[in-house]
Amino acid sequence: MRWVAAMANIVQFEDVGLRYPNSEGDTLSDVQFTLVSGGFYFLTGASGAGKTSLLKLLYLAQRPTSGTIRLFGEDAGALPRVRLPGFRRRIGVVFQDFRLIPHLSVYDNIALPLRVTGVPESDIDTPVREMLDWVGLSQRGDATPPTLSGGEQQRVAIARAVIGNPDILVADEPTGNVDPDMAARLLHLFESLNRLGTTVVVATHDFHLLGRIQNAHMMRLEAGRLMDPTGALRNPPTRTPA
């Protein structure tokens, strides 16, 4: 795996730390990395390493305790609240627990982001039908999430996340609840989206996935710290000589 050079930075974490209230220690410490526009990234690490917390910072569901996060060239921490929804709309999220609305049809779950942003109803049907076809669910538009398999629900969640053409797609353990064949299919969907220019970040503890995307990049967390490929800290703290 190698880093792509000479492309615009879309995300920058600068010495970012995160500590939850009443926690005994830091969930993330001194995290520093850059994502380039159009890149494909795997975020790996054991359960409890901090992957989900890092993703929450990335899609603005959580603010860091320390450090700076720059998104699309701006300091995310300095954004006024009125601008946060606009930034969040540029980031599609596939949650680990799907978060589909159970009483809405598959069609309406996928259409929801467009309706929330005020897209006219006359302009919704075509992109929703295209998404249904793209994820292989063109015959399931009238179904409700509880009637779907786990893999089908995951594909609905992906379609909902990308229908608004986000600049960044974030997926938290998207293959954790599906069989190997479905995992490969989901990964192919992410790769197809990436080829259209979307920056993709996939958090996974499944190391078998890492070699399946050509030119993908890997970031590895251990106990809340980002490691380099040798297993050493990517940005070790500066030590003061004794």
Side-chain angles (χ1 to χ4, degrees):
M1 297 183 182
R2 57 190 177 84
W3 293 93
V4 177
M7 297 182 71
N9 295 336
I10 196 168
V11 176
Q12 290 175 285
F13 275 47
E14 301 172 359
D15 299 319
V16 170
L18 176 65
R19 174 176 289 196
Y20 291 108
N22 303 319
S23 173
E24 294 183 358
D26 292 337
T27 300
L28 297 170
S29 301
D30 303 316
V31 175
Q32 185 164 307
F33 64 85
T34 298
L35 307 185
V36 297
S37 179
F40 195 115
Y41 299 87
F42 285 111
L43 176 63
T44 70
S47 296
K51 299 190 299 297
T52 295
S53 291
L54 191 151
L55 294 186
K56 286 181 178 179
L57 293 174
L58 180 55
Y59 61 78
L60 302 177
Q62 184 78 42
R63 287 184 179 268
T65 308
S66 59
T68 302
I69 298 174
R70 298 187 184 279
L71 291 175
F72 315 115
E74 296 192 55
D75 182 350
L79 289 173
R81 288 188 178 275
V82 70
R83 294 192 61 200
L84 286 177
F87 262 61
R88 288 177 177 141
R89 282 195 290 270
R90 299 178 68 179
I91 305 170
V93 184
V94 182
F95 298 99
Q96 195 169 356
D97 56 357
F98 309 147
R99 301 192 189 181
L100 302 176
I101 300 176
H103 66 274
L104 294 183
S105 68
V106 167
Y107 181 104
D108 288 331
N109 267 279
I110 296 173
L112 187 61
L114 300 182
R115 288 174 173 151
V116 167
T117 56
V119 175
E121 213 46 46
S122 59
D123 294 334
I124 285 177
D125 189 66
T126 295
V128 172
R129 298 293 177 190
E130 289 177 349
M131 281 290 107
L132 283 166
D133 184 61
W134 185 65
V135 296
L137 293 173
S138 57
Q139 304 302 315
R140 302 288 274 158
D142 293 331
T144 55
T147 68
L148 304 179
S149 69
E152 288 172 330
Q153 291 184 47
Q154 187 67 284
R155 283 181 277 163
V156 176
I158 292 170
R160 182 185 60 185
V162 305
I163 194 167
N165 296 315
D167 295 300
I168 303 172
L169 176 68
V170 176
D172 190 4
E173 299 283 0
T175 63
N177 299 309
V178 299
D179 60 48
D181 288 341
M182 181 55 64
R185 181 170 184 175
L186 294 178
L187 206 59
H188 178 70
L189 293 177
F190 294 142
E191 186 178 24
S192 298
L193 184 67
N194 178 246
R195 286 174 178 169
L196 296 175
T198 298
T199 302
V200 176
V201 182
V202 176
T204 182
H205 63 268
D206 185 355
F207 286 90
H208 293 96
L209 297 178
L210 304 184
R212 294 192 177 188
I213 303 295
Q214 188 176 9
N215 295 326
H217 321 302
M218 185 179 75
M219 300 185 294
R220 182 163 63 92
L221 279 172
E222 286 189 12
R225 291 181 176 270
L226 200 63
M227 316 297 284
D228 72 15
T230 68
L233 284 175
R234 180 168 290 177
N235 295 288
T238 302
R239 297 180 180 272
T240 302

